[in-house]
Amino acid sequence: MIASQAFLPEAIVCHEPPPPELVDAAARLAIHCIAPEQVSPTLSTELCLHWKDARLALGRFTGKEKPVAVDFVAALSQRRQGPELLWKAIGGSTRVKPTIVDATAGFGRDSAVLLGRGSAVSMIESHPVVGLLLSDAMRRLQADPLFAEHVANLELYCGEAEGHLPTLAKKGRCQVVYLDPMFAESGKSALAKKDMQLFQALLGHGDDGRRLLEVALDCAEYRVVVKRALKAEPLAQCEPAFAIKGKAVRFDVYPLKSLKYFA
């Protein structure tokens, strides 16, 4: 189920011929592929997808915002591999690199951070359009020979996390389950950035996350980590054992088994 207030864009504005697989995916979602000259002025502020420079991006038909694409290549090319707080909350170190399920993948930014640290990451994304953006980013990552090792450590599942988590647990991929849900009470921490406002407009808000947290705790082997706004209530009012706090966000940690015995 797509989060309440979420919706599908009406069209993909194709600035160049789209690949057949994108056309097929758009057809399954009843999203039209149109040329730029077909854009009506009345649609200027509406969300849409753009196919340009061989990448898929989320934006508006017209407007000041630059369309946003998921870009694992750019993220993994950065010398500094993401926030230390997240990696600390996960329990990772130079020796400990657990397999992680990012059960609310979104634009994949935290997945890229964890991947860059050396962990194998399984992304789950419930919104079909965000799934398309992630899939397109994975295609570009796979095409770059410099990132072959990372390609082998990254996978994507589209659909509800509650359905995929038990299967991933049986495969041994759920040593740590990471949640960064977009719920109305706390919002998503990265939404201060203009590009993520597009993401919020697409996804809307969900419920209080109780069922998702319950399934995550049932399926994780070592711990569940939940990203929250610094002053937000714990997810589903479930108090964590401890939290790793930054200036704007915190990571609530629900340990199940000590990572000291990680093999």
Side-chain angles (χ1 to χ4, degrees):
M1 181 179 65
I2 299 173
S4 61
Q5 302 179 29
F7 63 95
L8 297 177
E10 291 186 13
I12 302 176
V13 181
C14 298
H15 302 263
E16 57 199 45
E21 57 268 24
L22 179 58
V23 175
D24 292 343
R28 289 194 297 271
L29 296 174
I31 299 175
H32 304 290
C33 293
I34 64 174
E37 57 268 22
Q38 293 177 287
V39 174
S40 167
T42 60
L43 297 175
S44 61
T45 62
E46 298 296 324
L47 282 180
C48 69
L49 292 167
H50 289 267
W51 175 255
K52 186 177 182 181
D53 300 327
R55 67 169 54 196
L56 189 66
L58 175 67
R60 302 189 187 277
F61 283 101
T62 60
K64 295 181 180 180
E65 300 112 327
K66 182 180 179 181
V68 180
V70 180
D71 195 337
F72 292 126
V73 172
L76 292 169
S77 298
Q78 295 177 0
R79 293 182 63 185
R80 183 173 179 270
Q81 289 299 332
E84 294 287 344
L85 290 180
L86 172 58
W87 188 234
K88 183 178 180 181
I90 291 294
S93 67
T94 54
R95 183 182 64 86
V96 177
K97 301 180 187 297
T99 59
I100 300 164
V101 177
D102 184 350
T104 51
F107 270 10
R109 292 180 174 177
D110 289 332
S111 288
V113 168
L114 299 170
L115 188 66
R117 292 284 186 173
S119 278
V121 180
S122 300
M123 300 182 295
I124 305 176
E125 177 49 50
S126 62
H127 196 291
V129 170
V130 182
L132 285 180
L133 293 165
L134 290 168
S135 180
D136 181 64
M138 291 183 68
R139 174 189 59 80
R140 286 180 272 115
L141 182 67
Q142 291 163 358
D144 194 321
L146 295 177
F147 296 99
E149 178 183 354
H150 291 98
V151 168
N153 282 333
L154 184 64
E155 58 184 9
L156 171 64
Y157 296 85
C158 293
E160 293 298 320
E162 294 89 335
H164 286 298
L165 280 169
T167 300
L168 288 169
K170 290 178 181 178
K171 294 180 178 180
R173 303 282 292 188
C174 282
Q175 291 175 335
V176 175
V177 176
Y178 173 61
L179 306 176
D180 182 9
M182 180 181 288
F183 298 118
E185 62 179 302
S186 65
K188 206 168 178 77
S189 61
L191 288 178
K193 298 180 179 180
K194 289 184 178 180
D195 57 0
M196 293 304 289
Q197 292 173 5
L198 294 170
F199 187 51
Q200 184 184 41
L202 178 67
L203 289 185
H205 299 295
D207 57 24
D208 70 352
R210 183 172 301 278
R211 177 58 181 159
L212 177 58
L213 182 58
E214 288 174 352
V215 175
L217 289 168
D218 283 341
C219 293
E221 184 178 356
Y222 288 95
R223 63 177 57 183
V224 174
V225 177
V226 182
K227 186 177 184 179
R228 302 295 280 167
L230 186 60
K231 296 183 179 181
E233 293 294 321
L235 185 61
Q237 305 297 315
C238 182
E239 290 290 338
F242 62 94
I244 306 295
K245 297 181 180 180
K247 293 181 179 180
V249 301
R250 71 172 195 271
F251 298 95
D252 291 346
V253 182
Y254 302 82
L256 302 168
K257 186 167 67 173
S258 176
L259 280 163
K260 289 193 300 182
Y261 306 107
F262 180 86

